[in-house]
Amino acid sequence: MSTKPLLEVQNLAVHFPVESGGLLRKQVGLVRAVDDVSFHINAGETVGLVGESGCGKSTTGRAIMQLIEATSGRVLFEGKDLRQMPHAELTHARRNFQMIFQDPYASLNPRKTVGDAVGEPIKLFGTAGGKSVNERVQEVFHMVGLNPRYIRRYPHEFSGGQRQRIGIARALAANPKLIIADEPISALDVSIQAQILNLMTDLQEQLNLTYLFISHDLAAVRHISQRIIVMYLGKIVEVASYEAIYSSPKHPYTQALLSAVPIPDPVVEKQRRRQVLVGDIPNPINPPTGCAFHPRCPLAMAHCKTVTPKLQQTESGHWVSCHLYDK
Amino acid sequence: MATIKKSPSYWKMVWRQYRRNHLATWGLVFIAFLIVMALGAPWIATNKPLWCNASGSYCLKAPIPYTPTQYNLDESLMPPNRHHWLGTDEQGRDVAARMVFGSRISLAVGVVAVGIYVAIGILLGALAGYYGGWVDQVVSRAIEIMICFPTFFLILTLLAFLGPSIYNIMIIIGLTSWTGIARLVRGEFLKLKNQDFVQAAIALGASDSRVIFRHMLPNALAPVLVSATFGVAAAILIESGLSFLGFGVPPHIPSWGSILSQSQEFMDIAWWLTLVPGAAIFITITVYNIVGEGLRDAIDPRLKV
């Protein structure tokens, strides 16, 4: 393991108050979208963050990006806490961590040409490296496999896959170290998904990027990630290398998630036993007591209802939050 | 692939859509005509010849060869005729000349007053929508307080203090009518703030003012433009109303409202004095509203952007 992680998230929590309507706005509840989440990402690594919709994975990504104000915790980027940074310093530091958004239609300004969109971070941070902004834009377009002749066009003239390439180009233009990819492929056709994933891996090798790859799609995450974080209801339930997650998932939730992934081999696929989770993800305003997963857990025990499990290390680098592994 | 033409921008597409509405297109032509009339008034209505040949034997007269203040008591209250197309008033002044000059007041009030309040409205609405929190609270309460006052009477009261003058009217309309625009822009900004491209701009490291003015405002401007068009009509109506009540421009300066006001005494013997300014105000307001509606329709049916 290298010395210092590029990004370190410590006890991050994002709580949204639920307010009643009317004049006085009484707080009637609290959504713990992200609750006590800690993890780190080393330079050059790809970490996958998976979970059902509503589990807080996107909120985690946006809280790291400082797009949402976290309630508590620390977000250390190269050792500096982004949450404590003065506004101006943070704005300047943003060149080092960029984001790729889920919806390639909503993430581009409809009134700006795509060349202007990609050129903006270059102008803001002066990352042209001696070249003119235009030359650098063309270079970045080339990197993501887009024809540089299209730079004067507007976003609505591109397909979803092309738009996502533009989104990636915009993130790359600032020359960042870390890219947080928030479900970058889930809005795309399956055939395009593979292209974008391959593009992202190629770019990682070329530019020595670090990714936090957020997705609900385990199959996509396995393509790209070295380590995987599984979240459930705002909490981390399991962290492990991707081999460990796939060969020996520990948490019953991870096991259920994995059993839902089809295997592209008909013989093996026939023998696949699907472990279907019953019930919906619980209401985060009023989460279950004890282990949040216990109402849906096939292996729940009596004290799962009362005692909240802690994230503990079972093997080297394999962390799980489940009473089954209590020593 | 072979030909890469520059794609139509948003406003070009709006214009294409707008052109399909013939009534609104003609409305725009009429507004252009009004603007030309207002700007060209000193050359349209003057008793001086526009151009004479070298010997002075032939001179080109203005279309309306009278000035708006040129009186001739021998020709008072003449109905429309060959010399005075729209008749004369009680002092024998040419109504057509006065109407042409009056359009300058209407245009100036409309444009300047709306310009002032659109600027105020955009700024306050944008700040409230973007920052939320206490900024939003302050702006929203200020809007509610302003809405509580009936605008017309607020203007009357302020004019009573400041004295009737065309500049005071512009400034007072501008300072009192920004609430609609502010609410509109605030709403648009609340909607835009959570859109990914705005979040992307923030994540990119763009400053607040850059996000507000470069990324969000261009996307919020369309409804503002529609509202401003209606606003011009409303401002013209307010000015006419104030002039009619005698709070507007000083009596010797013609404005559509003041011409209408002076016609009251002679309503039974000089119909043209009432009809001409009344019709001018009516038609202008209607046309501005038609243009505003055309613009709204051109923007509203979610253009493929």
Side-chain angles (χ1 to χ4, degrees), chain A residues 25 62 65 67 87 91 94-95 97-99 101-103 106-113 117 120-121 123-125 147 149-150 152-154 156-157 163 170-171, chain B residues 1-11 13 137 194-208 210 214-222 304-305:
Chain A
R25 300 270 161 84
R62 286 179 189 232
M65 286 301 299
L67 292 175
H87 188 74
T91 305
R94 283 185 185 281
R95 63 168 288 188
F97 50 99
Q98 290 286 314
M99 189 160 190
F101 290 82
Q102 171 173 10
D103 184 350
S107 62
L108 293 169
N109 189 338
R111 304 287 159 78
K112 272 187 175 247
T113 63
E120 184 162 18
K123 282 183 206 146
L124 286 172
F125 299 117
N147 190 335
R149 291 158 80 191
Y150 293 150
R152 284 175 173 281
R153 294 199 164 191
Y154 286 89
H156 69 266
E157 296 170 86
R163 281 168 163 237
R170 178 176 58 186
Chain B
M1 281 288 274
T3 54
I4 297 175
K5 54 177 197 262
K6 197 173 179 311
S7 60
S9 73
Y10 176 80
W11 290 109
M13 289 165 80
Q137 290 292 327
N194 287 322
Q195 291 212 343
D196 275 353
F197 73 84
V198 174
Q199 295 287 309
I202 299 170
L204 230 42
S207 62
D208 286 357
R210 195 178 171 90
R214 296 288 189 83
H215 288 270
M216 294 170 85
L217 193 56
N219 286 285
L221 223 46
K304 206 171 164 260
V305 171

Coordinates of all heavy atoms in Angstrom, one line a residue, chain A residues 25 62 65 67 87 91 94-95 97-99 101-103 106-113 117 120-121 123-125 147 149-150 152-154 156-157 163 170-171, chain B residues 1-11 13 137 194-208 210 214-222 304-305:
Chain A
R25 N -42.4 25.8 9.6 CA -41.4 24.8 9.2 C -40.8 24.0 10.3 O -39.6 24.0 10.6 CB -40.2 25.5 8.5 CG -40.6 26.3 7.3 CD -40.5 25.4 6.0 NE -41.3 26.0 4.9 CZ -40.8 26.9 4.1 NH1 -39.6 27.3 4.3 NH2 -41.5 27.4 3.1
R62 N -21.7 13.3 -4.2 CA -21.9 14.8 -4.3 C -21.4 15.5 -3.0 O -21.0 16.6 -3.1 CB -23.4 15.1 -4.5 CG -23.7 14.8 -6.0 CD -25.2 15.1 -6.3 NE -25.4 14.5 -7.6 CZ -26.0 15.2 -8.6 NH1 -26.4 16.5 -8.4 NH2 -26.1 14.7 -9.8
M65 N -17.8 15.9 -3.6 CA -17.6 17.0 -4.5 C -17.9 18.4 -3.9 O -17.8 19.4 -4.6 CB -18.5 16.8 -5.8 CG -18.1 15.7 -6.7 SD -16.4 15.9 -7.4 CE -16.6 17.5 -8.3
L67 N -20.8 19.4 -3.5 CA -22.0 20.0 -4.1 C -23.2 19.9 -3.1 O -24.2 20.7 -3.3 CB -22.4 19.2 -5.4 CG -21.4 19.3 -6.5 CD1 -21.8 18.3 -7.6 CD2 -21.4 20.7 -7.0
H87 N -14.1 29.2 0.7 CA -14.8 29.1 -0.6 C -13.9 29.3 -1.8 O -13.9 28.5 -2.7 CB -15.9 30.1 -0.7 CG -16.8 30.0 -1.8 ND1 -17.7 28.9 -1.9 CD2 -16.9 30.7 -3.0 CE1 -18.4 29.0 -3.1 NE2 -17.9 30.1 -3.7
T91 N -12.8 26.5 -4.6 CA -13.1 26.7 -6.1 C -11.8 26.4 -6.9 O -11.9 25.8 -7.9 CB -13.5 28.1 -6.3 OG1 -14.7 28.4 -5.5 CG2 -13.9 28.4 -7.7
R94 N -10.9 22.7 -7.0 CA -11.8 21.8 -7.7 C -11.1 21.2 -9.0 O -11.6 20.2 -9.5 CB -13.0 22.5 -8.1 CG -14.0 22.6 -6.9 CD -15.3 23.3 -7.4 NE -16.2 23.5 -6.3 CZ -17.0 22.6 -5.7 NH1 -16.9 21.4 -6.2 NH2 -17.8 22.9 -4.7
R95 N -10.1 21.9 -9.5 CA -9.5 21.4 -10.7 C -8.9 20.0 -10.5 O -8.8 19.2 -11.5 CB -8.4 22.3 -11.2 CG -7.2 22.4 -10.2 CD -6.0 23.1 -10.9 NE -5.4 22.2 -11.9 CZ -4.3 22.4 -12.5 NH1 -3.7 23.6 -12.3 NH2 -3.8 21.6 -13.4
F97 N -10.3 17.5 -8.6 CA -11.3 16.4 -8.6 C -12.5 16.9 -9.4 O -13.1 17.9 -9.1 CB -11.7 16.1 -7.1 CG -12.0 17.3 -6.2 CD1 -13.4 17.6 -6.0 CD2 -11.1 18.0 -5.7 CE1 -13.7 18.7 -5.2 CE2 -11.4 19.1 -4.9 CZ -12.7 19.4 -4.6
Q98 N -12.9 16.1 -10.3 CA -14.0 16.4 -11.2 C -15.0 15.3 -11.2 O -14.8 14.2 -10.6 CB -13.4 16.6 -12.6 CG -12.6 17.8 -12.8 CD -13.5 19.1 -12.8 OE1 -14.5 19.2 -13.5 NE2 -13.1 20.1 -12.0
M99 N -16.1 15.6 -11.8 CA -17.3 14.7 -11.7 C -17.8 14.4 -13.1 O -17.9 15.2 -14.0 CB -18.4 15.3 -10.9 CG -19.5 14.4 -10.5 SD -20.4 15.0 -9.1 CE -21.4 13.6 -8.7
F101 N -21.4 13.0 -14.8 CA -22.8 12.9 -14.3 C -23.5 11.7 -14.9 O -23.1 11.3 -16.0 CB -23.5 14.2 -14.5 CG -23.0 15.3 -13.6 CD1 -21.9 16.0 -13.9 CD2 -23.7 15.6 -12.4 CE1 -21.4 17.0 -13.1 CE2 -23.2 16.6 -11.6 CZ -22.1 17.3 -11.9
Q102 N -24.6 11.4 -14.3 CA -25.4 10.2 -14.8 C -26.1 10.5 -16.1 O -26.0 9.8 -17.0 CB -26.4 9.8 -13.7 CG -27.4 8.8 -14.2 CD -28.3 8.3 -13.1 OE1 -28.4 8.8 -12.0 NE2 -29.1 7.3 -13.4
D103 N -26.8 11.6 -16.1 CA -27.7 11.9 -17.2 C -27.0 12.8 -18.2 O -26.8 14.0 -18.0 CB -29.0 12.6 -16.7 CG -29.9 12.8 -17.9 OD1 -29.6 12.6 -19.0 OD2 -31.1 13.2 -17.6
A106 N -29.0 16.0 -19.2 CA -29.2 17.1 -18.3 C -27.8 17.8 -17.9 O -27.9 18.9 -17.3 CB -29.9 16.6 -17.0
S107 N -26.7 17.1 -18.1 CA -25.5 17.6 -17.5 C -24.7 18.6 -18.4 O -23.7 19.1 -18.1 CB -24.6 16.5 -17.1 OG -24.2 15.7 -18.2
L108 N -25.3 18.8 -19.6 CA -24.7 19.8 -20.5 C -25.6 21.0 -20.7 O -26.8 20.8 -20.9 CB -24.4 19.2 -21.9 CG -23.3 18.1 -21.9 CD1 -23.3 17.4 -23.2 CD2 -21.9 18.7 -21.6
N109 N -25.1 22.2 -20.6 CA -25.8 23.4 -20.7 C -26.4 23.5 -22.2 O -25.6 23.6 -23.1 CB -25.0 24.6 -20.4 CG -25.7 25.9 -20.3 OD1 -26.8 26.0 -20.9 ND2 -25.2 26.9 -19.6
P110 N -27.7 23.5 -22.3 CA -28.3 23.5 -23.7 C -27.9 24.8 -24.5 O -28.0 24.8 -25.7 CB -29.8 23.4 -23.5 CG -30.0 23.8 -22.1 CD -28.8 23.5 -21.3
R111 N -27.5 25.9 -23.8 CA -27.2 27.1 -24.6 C -25.8 27.3 -24.9 O -25.3 28.4 -25.3 CB -27.7 28.3 -23.8 CG -29.1 28.3 -23.4 CD -30.0 28.6 -24.6 NE -31.4 28.1 -24.3 CZ -32.2 28.7 -23.6 NH1 -32.0 29.8 -23.0 NH2 -33.4 28.2 -23.4
K112 N -24.9 26.3 -24.6 CA -23.5 26.5 -24.8 C -23.1 25.4 -25.9 O -23.5 24.3 -25.8 CB -22.7 26.2 -23.5 CG -22.5 27.5 -22.7 CD -21.6 27.2 -21.6 CE -21.3 28.4 -20.8 NZ -20.1 29.0 -20.8
T113 N -22.2 25.8 -26.7 CA -21.7 24.8 -27.7 C -20.8 23.8 -26.8 O -20.3 24.2 -25.8 CB -20.8 25.4 -28.8 OG1 -19.7 26.1 -28.2 CG2 -21.6 26.5 -29.6
A117 N -18.3 24.3 -23.5 CA -18.4 23.6 -22.3 C -17.1 22.9 -21.9 O -16.7 23.0 -20.7 CB -19.5 22.5 -22.5
E120 N -14.4 25.6 -20.9 CA -14.6 26.4 -19.7 C -13.5 26.1 -18.6 O -12.9 27.0 -18.1 CB -16.0 26.2 -19.1 CG -16.2 27.1 -17.9 CD -17.7 27.3 -17.7 OE1 -18.5 26.6 -18.2 OE2 -18.0 28.3 -16.9
P121 N -13.4 24.8 -18.2 CA -12.4 24.5 -17.1 C -11.0 24.9 -17.6 O -10.1 25.3 -16.8 CB -12.5 23.0 -16.9 CG -13.3 22.4 -18.1 CD -14.1 23.6 -18.6
K123 N -10.2 27.4 -19.5 CA -10.0 28.9 -19.3 C -9.9 29.2 -17.8 O -9.1 30.0 -17.4 CB -11.2 29.6 -19.8 CG -11.1 29.8 -21.4 CD -12.3 30.6 -21.9 CE -12.6 30.2 -23.3 NZ -14.1 30.2 -23.6
L124 N -10.8 28.5 -17.0 CA -10.8 28.8 -15.5 C -9.5 28.5 -14.9 O -9.0 29.2 -14.0 CB -11.9 28.0 -14.9 CG -13.3 28.4 -15.1 CD1 -14.3 27.4 -14.5 CD2 -13.6 29.8 -14.5
F125 N -8.9 27.4 -15.3 CA -7.7 26.9 -14.5 C -6.4 27.1 -15.3 O -5.3 26.8 -14.9 CB -7.8 25.5 -14.1 CG -9.0 25.2 -13.2 CD1 -10.1 24.4 -13.6 CD2 -9.1 25.8 -12.0 CE1 -11.1 24.2 -12.8 CE2 -10.1 25.6 -11.1 CZ -11.2 24.8 -11.5
N147 N -14.9 13.7 -32.8 CA -14.4 14.4 -33.9 C -14.2 15.9 -33.5 O -15.2 16.5 -33.1 CB -15.3 14.3 -35.1 CG -14.7 14.9 -36.4 OD1 -13.8 15.8 -36.3 ND2 -15.1 14.4 -37.5
R149 N -14.1 18.4 -35.1 CA -14.8 19.4 -35.9 C -16.1 19.7 -35.3 O -16.8 20.6 -35.8 CB -14.9 18.8 -37.3 CG -13.6 18.7 -38.0 CD -13.7 17.7 -39.1 NE -14.3 18.2 -40.3 CZ -14.8 17.5 -41.3 NH1 -14.6 16.2 -41.3 NH2 -15.3 18.1 -42.4
Y150 N -16.6 18.9 -34.4 CA -17.9 19.2 -33.8 C -18.0 20.2 -32.7 O -19.0 20.4 -32.1 CB -18.5 17.9 -33.3 CG -18.8 16.8 -34.3 CD1 -18.7 15.5 -34.0 CD2 -19.1 17.2 -35.6 CE1 -19.0 14.5 -35.0 CE2 -19.4 16.2 -36.6 CZ -19.3 14.9 -36.3 OH -19.6 14.0 -37.2
R152 N -18.2 23.3 -32.5 CA -19.2 24.4 -32.5 C -20.6 24.0 -32.4 O -21.5 24.8 -32.5 CB -19.0 25.2 -33.8 CG -17.7 26.0 -33.8 CD -17.5 26.6 -35.2 NE -16.4 27.6 -35.1 CZ -16.5 28.8 -34.6 NH1 -17.7 29.2 -34.2 NH2 -15.5 29.6 -34.6
R153 N -20.9 22.7 -32.2 CA -22.2 22.2 -32.2 C -22.8 22.3 -30.8 O -22.1 22.4 -29.8 CB -22.3 20.8 -32.6 CG -21.9 20.7 -34.1 CD -22.4 19.4 -34.6 NE -22.4 19.5 -36.1 CZ -23.0 18.6 -36.9 NH1 -23.7 17.6 -36.3 NH2 -23.0 18.7 -38.1
Y154 N -24.1 22.3 -30.7 CA -24.8 22.3 -29.4 C -25.2 20.9 -29.0 O -25.3 20.0 -29.8 CB -26.1 23.1 -29.6 CG -25.9 24.6 -29.7 CD1 -25.7 25.2 -30.9 CD2 -25.8 25.4 -28.5 CE1 -25.4 26.5 -31.0 CE2 -25.5 26.7 -28.6 CZ -25.3 27.3 -29.9 OH -25.0 28.6 -29.9
H156 N -27.7 19.3 -28.1 CA -28.9 18.5 -28.5 C -28.6 17.8 -29.9 O -29.4 17.0 -30.3 CB -30.1 19.4 -28.6 CG -30.1 20.4 -29.7 ND1 -29.6 21.7 -29.5 CD2 -30.4 20.3 -31.0 CE1 -29.7 22.4 -30.6 NE2 -30.1 21.6 -31.6
E157 N -27.5 18.1 -30.5 CA -27.2 17.4 -31.8 C -26.4 16.1 -31.6 O -26.0 15.6 -32.6 CB -26.4 18.4 -32.7 CG -27.3 19.6 -33.0 CD -26.4 20.7 -33.7 OE1 -26.3 20.6 -34.9 OE2 -25.9 21.6 -33.0
R163 N -22.7 12.4 -26.0 CA -22.8 13.4 -24.9 C -22.0 13.0 -23.7 O -21.4 13.8 -23.0 CB -24.3 13.6 -24.5 CG -25.1 14.5 -25.4 CD -26.5 14.3 -25.1 NE -27.3 15.4 -25.7 CZ -28.0 16.2 -25.0 NH1 -28.2 16.1 -23.7 NH2 -28.7 17.2 -25.6
R170 N -15.1 17.1 -20.6 CA -15.2 18.3 -19.7 C -14.5 18.0 -18.4 O -13.8 18.9 -17.9 CB -16.7 18.7 -19.5 CG -16.8 19.9 -18.6 CD -18.2 20.3 -18.4 NE -19.1 19.2 -17.9 CZ -20.4 19.3 -17.8 NH1 -21.0 20.4 -18.2 NH2 -21.1 18.2 -17.4
A171 N -14.7 16.8 -17.9 CA -14.1 16.5 -16.6 C -12.5 16.4 -16.8 O -11.8 16.8 -15.9 CB -14.6 15.2 -16.1
Chain B
M1 N -21.5 14.2 -42.8 CA -20.2 14.4 -42.4 C -19.5 15.4 -43.3 O -18.6 16.2 -42.8 CB -19.4 13.1 -42.5 CG -19.6 12.2 -41.3 SD -18.9 12.7 -39.8 CE -17.2 12.0 -39.9
A2 N -19.8 15.4 -44.5 CA -19.1 16.3 -45.5 C -19.2 17.7 -45.1 O -18.2 18.4 -45.0 CB -19.5 16.0 -46.9
T3 N -20.5 18.1 -45.0 CA -20.7 19.6 -44.7 C -21.0 19.7 -43.2 O -21.9 19.0 -42.7 CB -21.8 20.2 -45.5 OG1 -23.0 19.4 -45.3 CG2 -21.5 20.2 -47.0
I4 N -20.3 20.5 -42.5 CA -20.6 20.7 -41.1 C -21.1 22.2 -41.0 O -20.3 23.1 -41.0 CB -19.4 20.5 -40.2 CG1 -19.0 19.0 -40.3 CG2 -19.7 20.8 -38.8 CD1 -17.8 18.6 -39.6
K5 N -22.4 22.4 -41.0 CA -22.8 23.7 -40.9 C -23.1 24.0 -39.4 O -23.4 23.2 -38.6 CB -24.1 23.9 -41.7 CG -25.2 23.0 -41.4 CD -26.4 23.4 -42.3 CE -27.7 22.7 -41.8 NZ -28.2 21.6 -42.3
K6 N -23.0 25.3 -39.1 CA -23.2 25.7 -37.7 C -24.6 25.5 -37.4 O -25.5 25.9 -38.2 CB -22.8 27.2 -37.6 CG -22.6 27.6 -36.1 CD -22.1 29.0 -36.0 CE -21.9 29.4 -34.5 NZ -23.0 29.1 -33.7
S7 N -24.9 24.9 -36.3 CA -26.3 24.5 -36.0 C -27.0 25.7 -35.5 O -26.5 26.7 -35.0 CB -26.2 23.5 -34.8 OG -25.6 24.1 -33.7
P8 N -28.4 25.7 -35.7 CA -29.2 26.8 -35.3 C -29.1 27.0 -33.8 O -29.2 26.0 -33.0 CB -30.6 26.5 -35.8 CG -30.6 25.0 -35.9 CD -29.2 24.6 -36.2
S9 N -28.9 28.2 -33.3 CA -28.9 28.4 -31.9 C -30.4 28.4 -31.4 O -31.3 28.4 -32.2 CB -28.2 29.7 -31.5 OG -29.1 30.8 -31.9
Y10 N -30.5 28.5 -30.1 CA -31.8 28.5 -29.5 C -32.7 29.6 -30.0 O -33.8 29.4 -30.4 CB -31.7 28.6 -28.0 CG -33.0 28.7 -27.2 CD1 -33.7 27.5 -27.0 CD2 -33.4 29.9 -26.8 CE1 -34.9 27.6 -26.3 CE2 -34.6 30.0 -26.1 CZ -35.4 28.9 -25.8 OH -36.6 28.9 -25.2
W11 N -32.1 30.8 -30.0 CA -33.0 32.0 -30.4 C -33.3 31.9 -31.9 O -34.4 32.4 -32.2 CB -32.2 33.3 -30.1 CG -32.2 33.4 -28.6 CD1 -31.1 33.4 -27.8 CD2 -33.3 33.7 -27.7 NE1 -31.4 33.5 -26.5 CE2 -32.8 33.7 -26.4 CE3 -34.6 33.8 -27.9 CZ2 -33.6 33.9 -25.3 CZ3 -35.4 34.0 -26.8 CH2 -34.9 34.1 -25.5
M13 N -34.1 29.2 -33.4 CA -35.2 28.3 -33.4 C -36.5 28.9 -32.9 O -37.6 28.7 -33.4 CB -34.9 27.0 -32.6 CG -33.9 26.2 -33.3 SD -33.2 24.9 -32.1 CE -34.5 23.7 -32.2
Q137 N -35.2 34.4 1.9 CA -36.2 34.9 2.8 C -36.4 36.5 2.7 O -37.5 37.0 2.6 CB -35.8 34.6 4.3 CG -35.9 33.1 4.6 CD -37.3 32.6 4.7 OE1 -38.2 33.4 5.0 NE2 -37.5 31.4 4.2
N194 N -30.9 22.8 -9.4 CA -30.6 21.3 -9.2 C -30.4 20.6 -10.4 O -30.2 19.4 -10.4 CB -31.8 20.7 -8.4 CG -31.9 21.2 -7.0 OD1 -30.8 21.3 -6.4 ND2 -33.0 21.5 -6.5
Q195 N -30.4 21.3 -11.6 CA -30.1 20.6 -12.8 C -28.6 20.2 -12.9 O -27.8 21.0 -12.4 CB -30.5 21.4 -14.0 CG -32.0 21.5 -14.0 CD -32.5 21.6 -15.4 OE1 -31.8 21.9 -16.4 NE2 -33.8 21.3 -15.6
D196 N -28.3 19.1 -13.5 CA -27.0 18.6 -13.5 C -26.0 19.6 -14.1 O -24.8 19.7 -13.7 CB -26.9 17.3 -14.2 CG -27.2 16.1 -13.3 OD1 -27.4 16.4 -12.1 OD2 -27.3 15.0 -13.8
F197 N -26.4 20.3 -15.2 CA -25.4 21.1 -15.8 C -25.0 22.3 -15.0 O -23.8 22.8 -15.1 CB -25.9 21.6 -17.2 CG -26.9 22.6 -17.3 CD1 -26.6 24.0 -17.2 CD2 -28.2 22.3 -17.4 CE1 -27.6 25.0 -17.2 CE2 -29.2 23.3 -17.5 CZ -28.9 24.6 -17.4
V198 N -25.9 22.7 -14.1 CA -25.5 23.8 -13.1 C -24.6 23.2 -12.1 O -23.6 23.8 -11.7 CB -26.8 24.4 -12.5 CG1 -26.4 25.4 -11.4 CG2 -27.6 25.1 -13.6
Q199 N -24.9 22.0 -11.6 CA -24.1 21.3 -10.6 C -22.7 21.1 -11.2 O -21.7 21.2 -10.6 CB -24.7 20.0 -10.2 CG -26.0 20.2 -9.4 CD -25.8 20.7 -8.0 OE1 -25.0 20.1 -7.3 NE2 -26.5 21.8 -7.7
A200 N -22.7 20.7 -12.5 CA -21.5 20.5 -13.2 C -20.6 21.7 -13.3 O -19.4 21.7 -13.0 CB -21.8 20.0 -14.6
A201 N -21.3 22.9 -13.5 CA -20.5 24.1 -13.6 C -19.9 24.4 -12.2 O -18.8 24.9 -12.1 CB -21.4 25.3 -14.0
I202 N -20.6 24.2 -11.1 CA -20.1 24.4 -9.8 C -18.9 23.5 -9.6 O -17.9 23.9 -9.1 CB -21.2 24.2 -8.7 CG1 -22.3 25.2 -8.9 CG2 -20.6 24.4 -7.3 CD1 -23.5 24.9 -8.1
A203 N -19.1 22.2 -9.9 CA -18.1 21.2 -9.7 C -16.8 21.5 -10.5 O -15.7 21.2 -10.1 CB -18.6 19.8 -10.1
L204 N -17.1 22.2 -11.6 CA -16.0 22.5 -12.5 C -15.1 23.6 -11.9 O -13.9 23.8 -12.3 CB -16.6 23.1 -13.8 CG -16.1 22.6 -15.1 CD1 -16.0 21.1 -15.1 CD2 -17.1 23.0 -16.2
G205 N -15.6 24.3 -10.9 CA -14.9 25.3 -10.2 C -15.2 26.7 -10.8 O -14.4 27.7 -10.6
A206 N -16.4 26.9 -11.4 CA -16.8 28.2 -11.8 C -17.2 29.0 -10.6 O -17.8 28.5 -9.7 CB -17.9 28.1 -12.8
S207 N -16.9 30.3 -10.6 CA -17.3 31.2 -9.5 C -18.8 31.4 -9.5 O -19.5 31.1 -10.5 CB -16.7 32.5 -9.7 OG -17.1 33.2 -10.9
D208 N -19.4 31.8 -8.4 CA -20.8 32.0 -8.2 C -21.4 32.9 -9.3 O -22.4 32.6 -10.0 CB -21.1 32.6 -6.9 CG -21.0 31.6 -5.8 OD1 -20.7 30.4 -6.1 OD2 -21.2 32.0 -4.6
R210 N -20.2 33.5 -12.2 CA -20.1 32.9 -13.5 C -21.3 31.9 -13.7 O -21.9 31.8 -14.7 CB -18.8 32.2 -13.6 CG -18.5 31.8 -15.1 CD -17.1 31.1 -15.2 NE -17.0 30.6 -16.5 CZ -16.5 31.2 -17.6 NH1 -16.1 32.5 -17.4 NH2 -16.5 30.7 -18.8
R214 N -23.6 33.2 -16.5 CA -23.2 32.5 -17.7 C -24.0 31.2 -17.9 O -24.3 30.9 -19.1 CB -21.7 32.2 -17.8 CG -20.8 33.4 -17.8 CD -20.9 34.1 -19.1 NE -19.9 35.2 -19.2 CZ -18.7 35.0 -19.5 NH1 -18.2 33.7 -19.8 NH2 -17.8 36.0 -19.6
H215 N -24.3 30.5 -16.8 CA -24.9 29.2 -17.0 C -26.4 29.3 -16.8 O -27.1 28.7 -17.5 CB -24.2 28.2 -16.1 CG -22.9 27.8 -16.5 ND1 -22.6 26.8 -17.3 CD2 -21.7 28.4 -16.2 CE1 -21.3 26.7 -17.5 NE2 -20.7 27.6 -16.9
M216 N -26.8 29.9 -15.7 CA -28.2 29.9 -15.4 C -29.1 30.9 -16.1 O -30.1 30.6 -16.6 CB -28.4 30.0 -13.8 CG -27.8 28.8 -13.1 SD -27.7 29.0 -11.4 CE -29.3 28.5 -10.9
L217 N -28.6 32.2 -16.1 CA -29.4 33.3 -16.6 C -29.8 33.0 -18.1 O -31.0 33.2 -18.4 CB -28.7 34.6 -16.4 CG -29.6 35.8 -16.6 CD1 -30.8 35.8 -15.7 CD2 -28.8 37.1 -16.4
P218 N -28.9 32.6 -19.0 CA -29.4 32.4 -20.3 C -30.5 31.4 -20.4 O -31.3 31.5 -21.3 CB -28.1 31.9 -21.0 CG -27.0 32.4 -20.2 CD -27.5 32.4 -18.8
N219 N -30.6 30.5 -19.5 CA -31.6 29.5 -19.5 C -32.9 30.0 -18.9 O -33.9 29.3 -18.9 CB -31.1 28.2 -18.8 CG -30.2 27.4 -19.7 OD1 -30.5 26.8 -20.7 ND2 -28.9 27.6 -19.4
A220 N -32.8 31.1 -18.2 CA -34.0 31.6 -17.5 C -34.6 32.9 -18.2 O -35.6 33.4 -17.8 CB -33.6 32.0 -16.0
L221 N -33.9 33.3 -19.3 CA -34.2 34.6 -19.9 C -35.5 34.6 -20.7 O -36.2 35.6 -20.8 CB -33.1 35.0 -20.8 CG -32.7 36.4 -20.7 CD1 -32.6 36.9 -19.3 CD2 -31.3 36.6 -21.4
A222 N -35.9 33.4 -21.3 CA -37.0 33.4 -22.2 C -38.3 33.9 -21.6 O -39.0 34.8 -22.1 CB -37.2 32.0 -22.8
K304 N -37.0 21.6 -29.1 CA -36.0 20.5 -28.9 C -34.7 21.2 -28.8 O -34.0 21.6 -29.7 CB -36.0 19.6 -30.1 CG -35.5 18.2 -29.7 CD -35.7 17.2 -30.9 CE -34.9 16.0 -30.6 NZ -33.6 16.0 -31.4
V305 N -34.2 21.3 -27.6 CA -33.0 21.9 -27.3 C -32.1 21.0 -26.6 O -32.5 20.3 -25.7 CB -33.1 23.2 -26.5 CG1 -31.8 23.7 -26.0 CG2 -33.8 24.3 -27.3

